[in-house]
Amino acid sequence: MSDAYASIQSRIRAAALAAGRAADAVTLVAVSKTQPWDHIAPVLDAGQRVFGENRVQEALGRWSERRQGLELRLIGPLQTNKVREAAAFFDVIETLDRDKLARALADEIQARGKAPRLFVQVNTGEEAQKAGVAPGEADAFVGRCRALDLPVEGLMCIPPAEDDPAPHFRMLGQIAARNGLEKLSMGMSGDFETAIACGATSVRVGSALFGHRG
Ligand SMILES: *Cc1c(COP(=O)(O)O)cnc(C)c1O
């Protein structure tokens, strides 16, 4: 088995236990975007079944032929003209971040009669270049998604690279709690243990697992 994979798994379990949570409380989302297949294959062979991808087209190319038994999550921005493909292919879409996308997803879900699980992305640092609803608008946005019958199960964030991530993770947890949402997708290679201490239910780990992206 890949050493990095075993090491990340044991760090996740240790962080969960240290936070007084069950060892298996946190799902590892292995972020395979842009990685060569020879980096991904050993992790897949070792039993990893949940993968995160940033782009619809790239994900289709990488996973279509070996889709069986996997949970695939879209963790990058979704354009409304890709909603049909994304809703058909992904088990989870973590980047619901605007009303136009919410309406397009609702229409698509109604037409198909089957929905991916959804996370609302919150721009906790209110960075202009980042996607996500502003923290102050999150409650109202979650409400509008629910009014469209969208199955929102959690929140996702990507804190500003230069900040201490802990306050951002705590803020996401507070928004989730007051909206009755149980899932928190937060923490990446550099900060997943902090995220687990703050209540992450899934962490998105790429480079620490597969090596630096080219
Ligand atoms: C690329 C990416 C990750 C993984 O980042 P690493 O630092 O390589 O672990 C996690 N989440 C999102 C949204 C990403 O785009």
Side-chain angles (χ1 to χ4, degrees):
M1 125 142 50
S2 144
D3 287 350
Y5 181 50
S7 151
I8 297 290
Q9 282 183 308
S10 70
R11 285 171 61 190
I12 289 172
R13 297 170 79 83
L17 291 171
R21 306 172 59 194
D24 63 355
V26 181
T27 300
L28 169 62
V29 179
V31 178
S32 45
K33 65 180 183 195
T34 78
Q35 294 286 352
W37 184 250
D38 64 327
H39 291 197
I40 300 169
V43 173
L44 182 65
D45 291 345
Q48 177 66 20
R49 290 294 174 266
V50 185
F51 292 87
E53 288 284 348
N54 258 42
R55 293 167 182 275
V56 178
Q57 248 29 269
E58 186 187 333
L60 287 166
R62 184 170 290 121
W63 296 110
S64 295
E65 301 295 309
R66 38 175 93 88
R67 181 75 184 77
Q68 200 73 6
L70 301 182
E71 176 177 308
L72 297 181
R73 298 187 174 209
L74 181 66
I75 61 170
L78 178 56
Q79 305 304 319
T80 48
N81 63 5
K82 296 267 170 63
V83 159
R84 176 150 302 169
E85 276 175 307
F89 189 69
F90 288 97
D91 300 288
V92 182
I93 294 173
E94 297 203 0
T95 49
L96 174 52
D97 64 351
R98 60 201 190 280
D99 287 293
K100 188 180 176 200
L101 179 58
R103 284 193 299 272
L105 279 165
D107 289 347
E108 186 57 30
I109 287 166
Q110 191 140 49
R112 299 178 63 238
K114 185 169 174 295
R117 292 141 56 203
L118 299 171
F119 285 60
V120 167
Q121 183 175 355
V122 181
N123 187 0
T124 57
E126 305 198 53
E127 295 172 282
Q129 79 279 14
K130 243 174 220 162
V133 297
E137 286 159 21
D139 296 359
F141 183 69
V142 169
R144 292 197 296 279
C145 290
R146 285 179 166 152
L148 290 168
D149 278 335
L150 292 176
V152 177
E153 66 173 37
L155 303 178
M156 180 272 229
C157 76
I158 311 169
E162 64 283 3
D163 280 14
D164 173 3
H168 295 273
F169 295 153
R170 282 192 221 104
M171 181 199 290
L172 200 70
Q174 285 160 3
I175 297 170
R178 69 176 181 247
N179 285 283
L181 295 168
E182 290 183 351
K183 305 284 181 171
L184 290 171
S185 170
M186 55 192 198
M188 319 201 309
S189 288
D191 58 14
F192 67 85
E193 284 143 323
T194 304
I196 291 168
C198 295
T201 58
S202 58
V203 294
R204 310 178 306 269
V205 180
S207 46
L209 193 53
F210 297 118
H212 283 287
R213 286 178 290 275

